[in-house]
Amino acid sequence: MRKLVLATTLLCTTTVTFAEPLNYNILNIQAEASREVSNDEMSAVLYIEKTNKQPSELANQVSLLMNQGLALAKKYPQVQVKTGPQRTYPIYDNDSNKLKEWRARAEIQINSQDFKAASNLISELQQNFQTQNIQFSVSDEQRKKVENELLVDASRNFQQRAQTLAQAWHKTSYDVVNLNIDTNNNSAPAPMMMMMAKSRVADSAVSQDVSSGESKITVSANGTIQLK
């Protein structure tokens, strides 16, 4: 009997995994540029707060004073004026817990780059309104202008640091792997409280001199370089 020999061929598949090339001479750098800028925008919040046992009378009283305030503001076209939040709520007696009266509060918000006009308007409004706060800040136009200039300065500072490090490590040049520019300036406006006695204002609406101060604007550049 002839034997039949079956030859079986096994096919082996080998998977070769190539390691990703290592990145050498990688450095992280951070640089920034900043400048003190004079605040050129003034904003303020003024309010009236009245109480009355009759809500309808209270509403009329508040509406009358608000209309007078808005009409007065028209004398100052350099000042942007808008109405703020307005609310009416009940006041209860502490002992009996019964409704005692109603209280209403309404706001006028002003904003201007003309400090003199804004101060004069505030002084006149204080005949009926109280000043909640006054703040100074850098206007959007001024901020964008300064930030654009600081973008260049921050980029140059980044390049200078990169070049300094390259020389320190005895390298002739470098490549920028990534670069992030941050212009996020969320510094709070400089506050100024300006409260004046109502009787004094009523006699003569004298505007108060103001000092706007300065704000610091900063642009930062941070990224990664590879020395060559």
Side-chain angles (χ1 to χ4, degrees):
M1 177 181 294
R2 180 179 298 178
K3 294 182 179 180
L4 180 62
V5 179
L6 297 178
T8 302
T9 303
L10 298 178
L11 298 178
C12 298
T13 302
T14 302
T15 302
V16 179
T17 302
F18 296 95
E20 294 184 0
L22 296 177
N23 292 321
Y24 296 98
N25 301 323
I26 296 293
L27 296 177
N28 295 321
I29 299 178
Q30 181 171 350
E32 66 178 28
S34 60
R35 186 183 306 172
E36 294 287 343
V37 181
S38 297
N39 294 318
D40 63 339
E41 192 165 79
M42 177 179 179
S43 59
V45 176
L46 296 96
Y47 69 95
I48 51 174
E49 196 169 66
K50 299 294 181 181
T51 56
N52 198 303
K53 294 184 177 180
Q54 299 298 325
S56 58
E57 294 180 4
L58 178 62
N60 291 335
Q61 186 180 14
V62 170
S63 297
L64 178 62
L65 292 175
M66 288 291 290
N67 290 339
Q68 290 177 353
L70 294 175
L72 180 63
K74 292 181 179 180
K75 293 170 48 180
Y76 301 91
Q78 314 95 312
V79 183
Q80 298 177 1
V81 179
K82 67 177 182 180
T83 56
Q86 183 171 336
R87 59 188 292 256
T88 302
Y89 53 95
I91 304 297
Y92 294 94
D93 186 89
N94 292 332
D95 297 327
S96 62
N97 202 31
K98 292 183 178 180
L99 180 62
K100 182 180 179 181
E101 56 190 359
W102 293 85
R103 179 172 297 167
R105 176 188 169 97
E107 293 181 359
I108 285 182
Q109 301 173 356
I110 71 172
N111 185 276
S112 180
Q113 293 182 343
D114 188 329
F115 293 173
K116 184 65 175 179
S119 297
N120 289 339
L121 174 57
I122 291 172
S123 296
E124 292 198 55
L125 286 174
Q126 283 179 319
Q127 297 180 42
N128 294 311
F129 288 75
Q130 297 184 60
T131 303
Q132 178 173 307
N133 63 65
I134 296 176
Q135 295 181 330
F136 298 92
S137 60
V138 180
S139 64
D140 290 341
E141 296 83 0
Q142 177 75 348
R143 182 177 297 277
K144 290 178 181 178
K145 177 179 178 296
V146 174
E147 283 181 347
N148 287 337
E149 296 171 354
L150 292 178
L151 282 171
V152 178
D153 294 340
S155 297
R156 288 174 178 169
N157 292 341
F158 184 92
Q159 294 173 36
Q160 290 175 359
R161 288 195 173 187
Q163 188 62 42
T164 299
L165 287 172
Q167 294 173 357
W169 288 92
H170 306 291
K171 301 296 182 181
T172 58
S173 62
Y174 65 89
D175 288 330
V176 177
V177 179
N178 61 70
L179 179 64
N180 298 314
I181 303 293
D182 184 11
T183 60
N184 187 17
N185 287 279
N186 291 324
S187 57
M192 171 188 174
M193 300 304 295
M194 187 168 74
M195 301 294 183
M196 301 177 64
K198 187 178 295 186
S199 58
R200 178 183 174 185
V201 177
D203 295 336
S204 59
V206 180
S207 63
Q208 178 177 333
D209 293 334
V210 297
S211 178
S212 61
E214 296 182 334
S215 294
K216 185 176 182 180
I217 298 179
T218 301
V219 173
S220 60
N222 58 84
T224 304
I225 65 170
Q226 183 173 28
L227 303 179
K228 299 192 300 181

PDB file of all heavy atoms in Angstrom, residues 85-106:
ATOM      1  N   PRO A  85     -32.445  96.910  36.217  1.00  0.00           N
ATOM      2  CA  PRO A  85     -33.486  96.077  36.839  1.00  0.00           C
ATOM      3  C   PRO A  85     -34.464  96.904  37.669  1.00  0.00           C
ATOM      4  O   PRO A  85     -34.088  97.916  38.272  1.00  0.00           O
ATOM      5  CB  PRO A  85     -32.683  95.117  37.726  1.00  0.00           C
ATOM      6  CG  PRO A  85     -31.300  95.129  37.161  1.00  0.00           C
ATOM      7  CD  PRO A  85     -31.091  96.500  36.617  1.00  0.00           C
ATOM      8  N   GLN A  86     -35.700  96.464  37.684  1.00  0.00           N
ATOM      9  CA  GLN A  86     -36.731  97.116  38.493  1.00  0.00           C
ATOM     10  C   GLN A  86     -37.591  96.038  39.146  1.00  0.00           C
ATOM     11  O   GLN A  86     -38.009  95.088  38.490  1.00  0.00           O
ATOM     12  CB  GLN A  86     -37.607  98.029  37.617  1.00  0.00           C
ATOM     13  CG  GLN A  86     -38.671  98.797  38.396  1.00  0.00           C
ATOM     14  CD  GLN A  86     -39.373  99.844  37.533  1.00  0.00           C
ATOM     15  OE1 GLN A  86     -38.818 100.303  36.538  1.00  0.00           O
ATOM     16  NE2 GLN A  86     -40.577 100.227  37.917  1.00  0.00           N
ATOM     17  N   ARG A  87     -37.814  96.175  40.444  1.00  0.00           N
ATOM     18  CA  ARG A  87     -38.598  95.160  41.144  1.00  0.00           C
ATOM     19  C   ARG A  87     -39.416  95.798  42.259  1.00  0.00           C
ATOM     20  O   ARG A  87     -39.047  96.829  42.820  1.00  0.00           O
ATOM     21  CB  ARG A  87     -37.694  94.070  41.721  1.00  0.00           C
ATOM     22  CG  ARG A  87     -36.654  94.557  42.708  1.00  0.00           C
ATOM     23  CD  ARG A  87     -35.679  93.454  43.078  1.00  0.00           C
ATOM     24  NE  ARG A  87     -36.307  92.394  43.846  1.00  0.00           N
ATOM     25  CZ  ARG A  87     -36.159  92.224  45.148  1.00  0.00           C
ATOM     26  NH1 ARG A  87     -35.383  93.058  45.839  1.00  0.00           N
ATOM     27  NH2 ARG A  87     -36.759  91.247  45.779  1.00  0.00           N
ATOM     28  N   THR A  88     -40.566  95.162  42.543  1.00  0.00           N
ATOM     29  CA  THR A  88     -41.452  95.561  43.631  1.00  0.00           C
ATOM     30  C   THR A  88     -41.699  94.343  44.506  1.00  0.00           C
ATOM     31  O   THR A  88     -41.977  93.256  43.991  1.00  0.00           O
ATOM     32  CB  THR A  88     -42.791  96.095  43.083  1.00  0.00           C
ATOM     33  OG1 THR A  88     -42.528  97.206  42.213  1.00  0.00           O
ATOM     34  CG2 THR A  88     -43.692  96.540  44.225  1.00  0.00           C
ATOM     35  N   TYR A  89     -41.607  94.514  45.820  1.00  0.00           N
ATOM     36  CA  TYR A  89     -41.772  93.380  46.723  1.00  0.00           C
ATOM     37  C   TYR A  89     -42.461  93.830  48.016  1.00  0.00           C
ATOM     38  O   TYR A  89     -42.385  95.000  48.418  1.00  0.00           O
ATOM     39  CB  TYR A  89     -40.423  92.725  47.032  1.00  0.00           C
ATOM     40  CG  TYR A  89     -39.355  93.671  47.531  1.00  0.00           C
ATOM     41  CD1 TYR A  89     -39.135  93.845  48.897  1.00  0.00           C
ATOM     42  CD2 TYR A  89     -38.561  94.384  46.630  1.00  0.00           C
ATOM     43  CE1 TYR A  89     -38.150  94.709  49.344  1.00  0.00           C
ATOM     44  CE2 TYR A  89     -37.573  95.239  47.085  1.00  0.00           C
ATOM     45  CZ  TYR A  89     -37.371  95.398  48.437  1.00  0.00           C
ATOM     46  OH  TYR A  89     -36.406  96.257  48.896  1.00  0.00           O
ATOM     47  N   PRO A  90     -43.151  92.919  48.677  1.00  0.00           N
ATOM     48  CA  PRO A  90     -43.895  93.274  49.893  1.00  0.00           C
ATOM     49  C   PRO A  90     -42.989  93.350  51.124  1.00  0.00           C
ATOM     50  O   PRO A  90     -41.987  92.654  51.215  1.00  0.00           O
ATOM     51  CB  PRO A  90     -44.897  92.125  50.025  1.00  0.00           C
ATOM     52  CG  PRO A  90     -44.203  90.963  49.388  1.00  0.00           C
ATOM     53  CD  PRO A  90     -43.391  91.519  48.266  1.00  0.00           C
ATOM     54  N   ILE A  91     -43.378  94.191  52.061  1.00  0.00           N
ATOM     55  CA  ILE A  91     -42.706  94.317  53.360  1.00  0.00           C
ATOM     56  C   ILE A  91     -43.697  93.895  54.445  1.00  0.00           C
ATOM     57  O   ILE A  91     -44.801  94.442  54.518  1.00  0.00           O
ATOM     58  CB  ILE A  91     -42.217  95.753  53.617  1.00  0.00           C
ATOM     59  CG1 ILE A  91     -41.295  96.222  52.483  1.00  0.00           C
ATOM     60  CG2 ILE A  91     -41.511  95.851  54.963  1.00  0.00           C
ATOM     61  CD1 ILE A  91     -40.028  95.418  52.354  1.00  0.00           C
ATOM     62  N   TYR A  92     -43.291  92.940  55.273  1.00  0.00           N
ATOM     63  CA  TYR A  92     -44.186  92.416  56.309  1.00  0.00           C
ATOM     64  C   TYR A  92     -43.768  92.920  57.688  1.00  0.00           C
ATOM     65  O   TYR A  92     -42.594  93.169  57.957  1.00  0.00           O
ATOM     66  CB  TYR A  92     -44.172  90.887  56.291  1.00  0.00           C
ATOM     67  CG  TYR A  92     -44.754  90.290  55.032  1.00  0.00           C
ATOM     68  CD1 TYR A  92     -43.930  89.948  53.956  1.00  0.00           C
ATOM     69  CD2 TYR A  92     -46.127  90.080  54.911  1.00  0.00           C
ATOM     70  CE1 TYR A  92     -44.453  89.404  52.795  1.00  0.00           C
ATOM     71  CE2 TYR A  92     -46.666  89.531  53.748  1.00  0.00           C
ATOM     72  CZ  TYR A  92     -45.826  89.197  52.689  1.00  0.00           C
ATOM     73  OH  TYR A  92     -46.353  88.667  51.549  1.00  0.00           O
ATOM     74  N   ASP A  93     -44.756  93.058  58.556  1.00  0.00           N
ATOM     75  CA  ASP A  93     -44.501  93.459  59.933  1.00  0.00           C
ATOM     76  C   ASP A  93     -43.769  92.330  60.663  1.00  0.00           C
ATOM     77  O   ASP A  93     -44.141  91.156  60.551  1.00  0.00           O
ATOM     78  CB  ASP A  93     -45.825  93.770  60.637  1.00  0.00           C
ATOM     79  CG  ASP A  93     -45.601  94.321  62.023  1.00  0.00           C
ATOM     80  OD1 ASP A  93     -45.466  95.549  62.165  1.00  0.00           O
ATOM     81  OD2 ASP A  93     -45.561  93.503  62.973  1.00  0.00           O
ATOM     82  N   ASN A  94     -42.758  92.677  61.413  1.00  0.00           N
ATOM     83  CA  ASN A  94     -41.952  91.664  62.095  1.00  0.00           C
ATOM     84  C   ASN A  94     -42.723  90.921  63.173  1.00  0.00           C
ATOM     85  O   ASN A  94     -42.469  89.745  63.439  1.00  0.00           O
ATOM     86  CB  ASN A  94     -40.711  92.310  62.711  1.00  0.00           C
ATOM     87  CG  ASN A  94     -39.730  92.809  61.660  1.00  0.00           C
ATOM     88  OD1 ASN A  94     -39.671  92.270  60.559  1.00  0.00           O
ATOM     89  ND2 ASN A  94     -38.982  93.848  62.004  1.00  0.00           N
ATOM     90  N   ASP A  95     -43.673  91.611  63.832  1.00  0.00           N
ATOM     91  CA  ASP A  95     -44.409  90.993  64.942  1.00  0.00           C
ATOM     92  C   ASP A  95     -45.614  90.179  64.458  1.00  0.00           C
ATOM     93  O   ASP A  95     -45.770  89.012  64.799  1.00  0.00           O
ATOM     94  CB  ASP A  95     -44.867  92.077  65.926  1.00  0.00           C
ATOM     95  CG  ASP A  95     -43.685  92.804  66.562  1.00  0.00           C
ATOM     96  OD1 ASP A  95     -42.638  92.148  66.759  1.00  0.00           O
ATOM     97  OD2 ASP A  95     -43.810  94.013  66.822  1.00  0.00           O
ATOM     98  N   SER A  96     -46.440  90.819  63.643  1.00  0.00           N
ATOM     99  CA  SER A  96     -47.674  90.151  63.223  1.00  0.00           C
ATOM    100  C   SER A  96     -47.518  89.370  61.920  1.00  0.00           C
ATOM    101  O   SER A  96     -48.393  88.578  61.568  1.00  0.00           O
ATOM    102  CB  SER A  96     -48.790  91.191  63.052  1.00  0.00           C
ATOM    103  OG  SER A  96     -48.448  92.120  62.027  1.00  0.00           O
ATOM    104  N   ASN A  97     -46.423  89.618  61.210  1.00  0.00           N
ATOM    105  CA  ASN A  97     -46.177  88.969  59.920  1.00  0.00           C
ATOM    106  C   ASN A  97     -47.249  89.328  58.888  1.00  0.00           C
ATOM    107  O   ASN A  97     -47.459  88.589  57.921  1.00  0.00           O
ATOM    108  CB  ASN A  97     -46.088  87.449  60.080  1.00  0.00           C
ATOM    109  CG  ASN A  97     -45.327  86.805  58.927  1.00  0.00           C
ATOM    110  OD1 ASN A  97     -44.415  87.416  58.356  1.00  0.00           O
ATOM    111  ND2 ASN A  97     -45.701  85.588  58.577  1.00  0.00           N
ATOM    112  N   LYS A  98     -47.901  90.451  59.113  1.00  0.00           N
ATOM    113  CA  LYS A  98     -48.899  90.920  58.153  1.00  0.00           C
ATOM    114  C   LYS A  98     -48.257  91.900  57.186  1.00  0.00           C
ATOM    115  O   LYS A  98     -47.253  92.540  57.481  1.00  0.00           O
ATOM    116  CB  LYS A  98     -50.061  91.600  58.887  1.00  0.00           C
ATOM    117  CG  LYS A  98     -50.904  90.644  59.709  1.00  0.00           C
ATOM    118  CD  LYS A  98     -52.082  91.381  60.351  1.00  0.00           C
ATOM    119  CE  LYS A  98     -52.967  90.419  61.137  1.00  0.00           C
ATOM    120  NZ  LYS A  98     -54.112  91.130  61.774  1.00  0.00           N
ATOM    121  N   LEU A  99     -48.889  92.000  55.999  1.00  0.00           N
ATOM    122  CA  LEU A  99     -48.381  92.910  54.987  1.00  0.00           C
ATOM    123  C   LEU A  99     -48.407  94.341  55.509  1.00  0.00           C
ATOM    124  O   LEU A  99     -49.443  94.848  55.940  1.00  0.00           O
ATOM    125  CB  LEU A  99     -49.219  92.801  53.711  1.00  0.00           C
ATOM    126  CG  LEU A  99     -48.807  93.714  52.551  1.00  0.00           C
ATOM    127  CD1 LEU A  99     -47.401  93.394  52.071  1.00  0.00           C
ATOM    128  CD2 LEU A  99     -49.808  93.593  51.403  1.00  0.00           C
ATOM    129  N   LYS A 100     -47.263  94.978  55.487  1.00  0.00           N
ATOM    130  CA  LYS A 100     -47.135  96.333  56.006  1.00  0.00           C
ATOM    131  C   LYS A 100     -47.187  97.370  54.896  1.00  0.00           C
ATOM    132  O   LYS A 100     -47.920  98.359  54.968  1.00  0.00           O
ATOM    133  CB  LYS A 100     -45.834  96.452  56.809  1.00  0.00           C
ATOM    134  CG  LYS A 100     -45.599  97.803  57.450  1.00  0.00           C
ATOM    135  CD  LYS A 100     -44.282  97.789  58.227  1.00  0.00           C
ATOM    136  CE  LYS A 100     -44.015  99.138  58.868  1.00  0.00           C
ATOM    137  NZ  LYS A 100     -42.723  99.139  59.609  1.00  0.00           N
ATOM    138  N   GLU A 101     -46.370  97.166  53.857  1.00  0.00           N
ATOM    139  CA  GLU A 101     -46.309  98.099  52.740  1.00  0.00           C
ATOM    140  C   GLU A 101     -45.574  97.424  51.579  1.00  0.00           C
ATOM    141  O   GLU A 101     -45.146  96.267  51.678  1.00  0.00           O
ATOM    142  CB  GLU A 101     -45.568  99.384  53.144  1.00  0.00           C
ATOM    143  CG  GLU A 101     -44.178  99.135  53.671  1.00  0.00           C
ATOM    144  CD  GLU A 101     -43.566 100.374  54.292  1.00  0.00           C
ATOM    145  OE1 GLU A 101     -44.229 101.432  54.288  1.00  0.00           O
ATOM    146  OE2 GLU A 101     -42.422 100.289  54.782  1.00  0.00           O
ATOM    147  N   TRP A 102     -45.452  98.180  50.495  1.00  0.00           N
ATOM    148  CA  TRP A 102     -44.738  97.687  49.326  1.00  0.00           C
ATOM    149  C   TRP A 102     -43.502  98.553  49.088  1.00  0.00           C
ATOM    150  O   TRP A 102     -43.520  99.755  49.352  1.00  0.00           O
ATOM    151  CB  TRP A 102     -45.637  97.727  48.086  1.00  0.00           C
ATOM    152  CG  TRP A 102     -46.784  96.752  48.173  1.00  0.00           C
ATOM    153  CD1 TRP A 102     -47.990  96.949  48.773  1.00  0.00           C
ATOM    154  CD2 TRP A 102     -46.787  95.418  47.659  1.00  0.00           C
ATOM    155  NE1 TRP A 102     -48.777  95.830  48.664  1.00  0.00           N
ATOM    156  CE2 TRP A 102     -48.066  94.868  47.982  1.00  0.00           C
ATOM    157  CE3 TRP A 102     -45.887  94.637  46.960  1.00  0.00           C
ATOM    158  CZ2 TRP A 102     -48.440  93.581  47.625  1.00  0.00           C
ATOM    159  CZ3 TRP A 102     -46.243  93.347  46.595  1.00  0.00           C
ATOM    160  CH2 TRP A 102     -47.506  92.832  46.936  1.00  0.00           C
ATOM    161  N   ARG A 103     -42.455  97.933  48.596  1.00  0.00           N
ATOM    162  CA  ARG A 103     -41.218  98.664  48.299  1.00  0.00           C
ATOM    163  C   ARG A 103     -40.810  98.390  46.854  1.00  0.00           C
ATOM    164  O   ARG A 103     -40.895  97.247  46.387  1.00  0.00           O
ATOM    165  CB  ARG A 103     -40.095  98.256  49.246  1.00  0.00           C
ATOM    166  CG  ARG A 103     -38.765  98.964  48.993  1.00  0.00           C
ATOM    167  CD  ARG A 103     -37.776  98.654  50.101  1.00  0.00           C
ATOM    168  NE  ARG A 103     -38.276  99.164  51.370  1.00  0.00           N
ATOM    169  CZ  ARG A 103     -37.773  98.835  52.561  1.00  0.00           C
ATOM    170  NH1 ARG A 103     -36.764  97.971  52.633  1.00  0.00           N
ATOM    171  NH2 ARG A 103     -38.271  99.352  53.672  1.00  0.00           N
ATOM    172  N   ALA A 104     -40.384  99.439  46.188  1.00  0.00           N
ATOM    173  CA  ALA A 104     -39.959  99.321  44.790  1.00  0.00           C
ATOM    174  C   ALA A 104     -38.560  99.903  44.633  1.00  0.00           C
ATOM    175  O   ALA A 104     -38.200 100.881  45.299  1.00  0.00           O
ATOM    176  CB  ALA A 104     -40.934 100.032  43.868  1.00  0.00           C
ATOM    177  N   ARG A 105     -37.817  99.292  43.759  1.00  0.00           N
ATOM    178  CA  ARG A 105     -36.455  99.756  43.452  1.00  0.00           C
ATOM    179  C   ARG A 105     -36.259  99.718  41.944  1.00  0.00           C
ATOM    180  O   ARG A 105     -36.624  98.741  41.281  1.00  0.00           O
ATOM    181  CB  ARG A 105     -35.417  98.869  44.139  1.00  0.00           C
ATOM    182  CG  ARG A 105     -33.972  99.231  43.798  1.00  0.00           C
ATOM    183  CD  ARG A 105     -33.020  98.182  44.362  1.00  0.00           C
ATOM    184  NE  ARG A 105     -31.671  98.347  43.850  1.00  0.00           N
ATOM    185  CZ  ARG A 105     -30.685  98.977  44.474  1.00  0.00           C
ATOM    186  NH1 ARG A 105     -30.910  99.496  45.682  1.00  0.00           N
ATOM    187  NH2 ARG A 105     -29.495  99.087  43.933  1.00  0.00           N
ATOM    188  N   ALA A 106     -35.687 100.782  41.405  1.00  0.00           N
ATOM    189  CA  ALA A 106     -35.427 100.877  39.968  1.00  0.00           C
ATOM    190  C   ALA A 106     -34.065 101.521  39.758  1.00  0.00           C
ATOM    191  O   ALA A 106     -33.623 102.353  40.556  1.00  0.00           O
ATOM    192  CB  ALA A 106     -36.517 101.674  39.267  1.00  0.00           C
TER     193      ALA A 106
END
